[in-house]
Amino acid sequence: MSEEKSLNFLEEIVEEDIATGKNRGRVLTRFPPEPNGYLHIGHAKSICLNFGLALKYGGKTNLRFDDTNPSKEETEYVDSIKADVKWLGFDWANELYASDYFDQLYEFAVTLIKKGLAYVDDSTAEEIAAQKGTPTEPGTPNQYRSRSVEENLGLFADMKAGKYPDGAKVLRAKVDLAAPNMHLRDPLMYRIKHTHHHRTGDKWCIYPMYDFAHGQSDAIEEITHSICTLEFIPHRDLYNWFIEQLEIFPSKQYEFARLNLNYTVMSKRKLLQLVEEKYVEDWDDPRMPTISGLRRRGYTPASIRDFCDRIGVAKRENMIDVSLLEFCIREDLNKTAWRRMAVLDPIKMIITNYPEGQTETMFSENNPEVEGGEGGRELPFSNELWIEREDFMEEPPKKFFRLGVGLMARLKSAYIVKCDSFVKDADGNVTEIYCTHIPESKSGNDTSGIHVKGTIHWISVPHAKTAEVRLYDRLFQVENPSNEDGDFKEYLNPNSLQIIPKAYIEADLADAISGKGYQFIRKGYFTLDKHSTAEKLVFNRTVTLKDGWVKKG
RNA sequence: UGCCUGAUAGUAUAAUGGUAGUACGACGGUUUUUGGUACCGUUUGUCUAGGUUCGAAUCCUGGUCGGGCAACCA
């Protein structure tokens, strides 16, 4: 659209590569999740980046599961990840698995052993850690480092054959025990794990480490731009070292700053904890920052893509305000959501000059943002209406444009009413308010000449249907729960879910379409929950409307 | 007290030696049968100290502050 829009640093790199003829202009990226949890909004940023870059420059993107640690990975996660990427609107060129390359990776390891660049080490994890030294002191070699090629070959074959228990031996790269970059101090390539793998079953009992799988997988697929997050910067030297020694396709790694969103947590470990310890219903709880949670909450793929586009890409740590995410979904839904009325906290209004038992049909358009309103629906009107409790005040302040004794307001798509009186119960709670309507003020046919500033929503009492409505607030009460003292769960917002068991809704909403957003006029955007049934409708509030009204005493 | 990174309004992001701009937020106004939307306006910024230059957010040097790195996790 705007040819002026500046490039982010990754686009600059790609354009530079294309301009210099690198890879003959070919662009192939990959999205490489580990199937050990559900995807979250942070992954969405990576997905939009990888797929978006390829799309923009005529390339392709592989979906590759980084499944090298069988003790944490499950097929359930694979399935959810595929569903989420698809839902976001992206198509991958190939569905691949690091585990597809286990044979090839094994051969790569043998190659390095033969070159004298890898050795089998019998040390314990603790010994190896100690021998690596510290950032300021070099590591010290042990006796295993000088094993012969033949011995290493035999030992590694035995490791693969299952002759040793977990932890007995590892295969290490022989790089540089004095390297200032700790990742180069003879990093582990393979460890023994007698664990069932979700795809390769029990075929393997040795599994490659990330550093000996990721770059090699990239090279096998001939990935041109391997994009990952900042914490992998120290791995880059090792990534390049393996590629160089193995003389395989030189994929290049580039790093960007991961997304941080305030008032939530973004690590899979913490999200898993919230699920397992039942602080939330499941991975797709509408309060979760997961893709599936956002979907159930009512976020659209377009709104998430727009969000990822707006936050930009750079290399500095960042903390994005959730208000931007909310802006994106409001912007989308405002254009697409059909308007409906729903009263969440009801109080009864009786129109004293409207005939009891009479019903009149009003009309209201579906979407005022669209030319023609996208059609509309009929609204039954009667002398008894449910209105929102907060739309009446016993002692209304100045500039209160709703109801109070003596005040007038319009009933959306119906008449202007004037409030005359109200009654309270023994506890002092207002129970009913009495109004008179202005017959000449009927919507679309108003000859009353009366102008009111406020318009309120309503539901005819005898025609009302009911639904359970769930209102969500931020999951945590502090901006960055992970940065606070103590357990992050201490900072959960106890009021993140408010259930309204019985809200009054338009009858029409009984036919609400799953996955579609509705605007409950003046209350926000809502969508059907996955547990909603014909007998018991359940709506989730996606987001409130922006509230420009500042209450003052 | 090692190595690697980074630092531009409240939050993000642009300006690639030549007018510090955009978005979100906040605030104010106009329109409105949603206190929504739309439209208009206001506000706030180059971490610091030097240097190079006609000219520095940008280049150089020192400092300060943030993040990462010593998992048989990815």
Side-chain angles (χ1 to χ4, degrees), chain A residues 75-226:
Chain A
T75 305
E76 174 198 348
Y77 296 131
V78 170
D79 295 338
S80 76
I81 288 167
K82 285 160 64 178
D84 287 347
V85 174
K86 248 182 234 172
W87 178 78
L88 275 175
F90 296 104
D91 297 313
W92 50 86
N94 299 102
E95 176 184 334
L96 301 165
Y97 296 80
S99 55
D100 291 341
Y101 309 135
F102 281 174
D103 285 305
Q104 172 76 73
L105 259 16
Y106 182 83
E107 290 310 315
F108 282 157
V110 168
T111 300
L112 289 185
I113 293 174
K114 286 180 177 164
K115 289 179 82 170
L117 293 173
Y119 62 98
V120 173
D121 192 324
D122 301 2
S123 308
T124 63
E126 295 70 33
E127 287 166 344
I128 289 177
Q131 289 160 5
K132 277 191 181 179
T134 68
T136 49
E137 305 161 57
T140 49
N142 58 30
Q143 71 265 38
Y144 308 111
R145 195 172 200 260
S146 49
R147 283 216 254 233
S148 69
V149 169
E150 288 65 33
E151 192 184 359
N152 282 319
L153 248 18
L155 256 14
F156 187 48
D158 288 346
M159 279 170 64
K160 183 194 180 194
K163 295 199 180 166
Y164 309 110
D166 289 8
K169 288 177 166 47
V170 293
L171 183 70
R172 288 226 258 171
K174 195 187 280 185
V175 189
D176 179 5
L177 281 171
N181 180 347
M182 298 296 290
H183 289 272
L184 260 22
R185 320 252 265 225
D186 287 13
L188 271 61
M189 294 165 60
Y190 270 92
R191 76 286 216 190
I192 300 171
K193 251 182 206 275
H194 290 270
T195 306
H196 188 85
H197 187 280
H198 70 107
R199 293 190 82 245
T200 59
D202 297 314
K203 178 178 175 190
W204 295 87
C205 63
I206 57 171
Y207 292 94
M209 299 288 290
Y210 166 86
D211 286 309
F212 196 65
H214 202 99
Q216 290 63 35
S217 303
D218 285 343
I220 291 168
E221 295 171 25
E222 302 203 338
I223 298 296
T224 58
H225 302 265
S226 180

Side-chain angles (χ1 to χ4, degrees), chain A residues 288-309:
Chain A
M288 292 280 272
T290 50
I291 306 290
S292 50
L294 290 165
R295 174 167 60 229
R296 186 170 164 199
R297 175 86 171 248
Y299 277 77
T300 59
S303 69
I304 294 174
R305 278 187 257 115
D306 182 38
F307 173 74
C308 291
D309 201 42

